[in-house]
Amino acid sequence: MKKPAATRQKEKTQIEHLSQAELVEMVLGLQTIIEELQEKLAIAEGKSRTTSQTSSKPPSTDLIQKSEKPTVQPEADQKKKPGGQPGHQGKTRKGFGRVDRTEISSPEICLNCGSQELSEVIRAC
């Protein structure tokens, strides 16, 4: 996080008034902090390199990582929504129109038992 310019200027004037011994002590302290952070970074990078593919760790312990090969979709595919697209002429089946007659058909023989009497078919089947 970047500090405001006024705060940085105030710290700069305070450092300018330090003696050489105090400056050397500050630099050595900062060097120690840098070395500790570098060690922590090396450990973190080493841990991040071991995945379920490169070690015997189970896949559930892997951190979510971006794939190496980015999936690139054409721009036209990204913008399309499901269903009919604007400007596309739709096609539908034509219906039968208006029903002009109905017909009741009764079978002459039963397809299961071969009987010709409807009363026999009801009892037999």
Side-chain angles (χ1 to χ4, degrees):
M1 186 173 184
K2 200 169 185 179
K3 295 181 182 180
T7 307
R8 291 179 58 203
Q9 184 64 27
K10 185 178 179 182
E11 290 176 353
K12 183 179 176 184
T13 56
Q14 288 176 349
I15 292 173
E16 288 174 349
H17 293 296
L18 294 176
S19 68
Q20 185 176 3
E22 290 172 328
L23 288 173
V24 169
E25 191 64 34
M26 182 186 286
V27 170
L28 291 175
L30 291 173
Q31 184 63 34
T32 305
I33 292 172
I34 290 171
E35 289 172 359
E36 290 174 3
L37 291 173
Q38 286 176 339
E39 288 175 10
K40 287 181 181 179
L41 181 63
I43 290 170
E45 285 179 346
K47 285 184 180 179
S48 68
R49 289 189 188 131
T50 57
T51 64
S52 61
Q53 294 177 350
T54 59
S55 67
S56 61
K57 291 173 42 175
S60 61
T61 60
D62 287 346
L63 296 175
I64 297 175
Q65 296 177 350
K66 292 183 179 179
S67 63
E68 293 177 6
K69 297 178 183 176
T71 55
V72 178
Q73 296 179 346
E75 288 185 25
D77 290 345
Q78 292 176 349
K79 296 178 183 177
K80 284 187 179 179
K81 294 182 179 177
Q85 301 299 313
H88 178 71
Q89 182 181 2
K91 296 180 181 178
T92 58
R93 289 181 57 194
K94 293 183 180 178
F96 295 108
R98 181 176 76 100
V99 176
D100 57 349
R101 65 186 167 115
T102 59
E103 188 176 306
I104 299 173
S105 64
S106 55
E108 296 178 13
I109 60 169
C110 176
L111 297 175
N112 292 331
C113 64
S115 173
Q116 294 184 356
E117 291 291 324
L118 187 58
S119 59
E120 292 177 18
V121 171
I122 293 172
R123 279 184 253 127
C125 296

